[in-house]
């Protein structure tokens, strides 16, 4: 069995930065599992089911990327998944510090290691927060959100 790359996130919504990271992880590990987390403490623009649909639309046709949902602890999901490593993208030193702390928590809770990959500079400036603002003000999403997800967003009432 090939080790899988697990890419957890809220994906509210999924962005071109997320897809870039998942594709890079799939190239490194042979397969990537995009895990849409359902953190009930976070206020999201899109429901859990909508975020899953957006992520699935973003990776339609990619056999090396699987999209699943998780409503529990990431450490438990990763431990149950089997031979996997968490992969997180980092844009800057602040992201690195935050993700390094989470990596230690997940290592202690679930015995899972985390690989921190620098974001691709071409898409590293894109955040879900930025994209939500574009949606709020009815601005074009091309280049910030994967095409399949754009079509899905257009079909949702906001």
């Amino acid at each position: 069995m090939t080790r899988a790359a697990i890419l957890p996130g809220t994906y509210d919504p999924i962005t071109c930065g997320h897809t870039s990271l998942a594709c890079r992880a799939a190239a490194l590990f042979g397969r990537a599992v995009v895990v849409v987390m359902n953190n009930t403490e976070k206020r999201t623009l899109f429901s859990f089911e909508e975020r899953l649909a957006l992520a699935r639309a973003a990776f339609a046709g990619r056999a090396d990327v699987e999209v699943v949902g998780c409503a529990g602890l990431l450490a438990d999901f990763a431990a149950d998944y089997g031979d996997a490593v968490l992969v997180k993208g980092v844009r800057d030193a602040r992201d690195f510090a935050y993700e390094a702390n989470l990596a230690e928590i997940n290592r202690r809770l679930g015995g899972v290691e985390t690989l921190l990959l620098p974001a691709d500079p071409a898409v590293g400036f894109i955040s879900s927060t930025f994209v939500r603002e574009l949606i709020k003000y009815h601005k074009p999403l091309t280049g910030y959100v994967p095409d399949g997800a754009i079509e899905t967003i257009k079909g949702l009432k906001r």
Side-chain angles (χ1 to χ4, degrees), residues 85-152:
V85 61
L86 300 177
V87 176
K88 299 296 295 260
V90 292
R91 292 177 278 215
D92 55 26
R94 186 180 45 157
D95 276 359
F96 183 88
Y98 176 77
E99 294 297 347
N101 284 332
L102 289 179
E104 184 59 21
I105 289 168
N106 286 313
R107 189 178 66 77
R108 288 180 187 229
L109 286 177
V112 63
E113 294 294 339
T114 301
L115 174 65
L116 302 178
L117 284 178
D120 179 342
V123 291
F125 68 96
I126 302 170
S127 69
S128 292
T129 302
F130 166 65
V131 170
R132 287 191 302 271
E133 287 293 302
L134 293 177
I135 292 168
K136 178 180 176 180
Y137 293 106
H138 307 286
K139 297 295 182 187
L141 301 176
T142 302
Y144 307 115
V145 174
D147 291 340
I150 290 173
E151 292 308 310
T152 302

Side-chain angles (χ1 to χ4, degrees), residues 22-39:
C23 292
R24 290 169 59 205
L28 287 169
F29 290 91
R31 63 191 173 114
V33 182
V34 172
V35 181
V36 178
M37 301 299 294
N38 191 23
N39 181 344

Side-chain angles (χ1 to χ4, degrees), residues 8-11 35-42 44 46-49 51-52 68-74:
T10 306
Y11 300 106
V35 181
V36 178
M37 301 299 294
N38 191 23
N39 181 344
T40 56
E41 298 299 313
K42 278 191 173 183
T44 58
F46 297 97
S47 72
F48 179 61
E49 293 76 18
R51 291 182 286 120
L52 274 168
V68 299
C70 176
L73 284 176
L74 175 60

Side-chain angles (χ1 to χ4, degrees), residues 7 19 22-23 26 30-34 55 59-67:
L7 293 94
T19 56
C23 292
R31 63 191 173 114
V33 182
V34 172
F59 293 105
R62 290 221 43 155
D64 58 346
V65 180
E66 176 185 4
V67 176

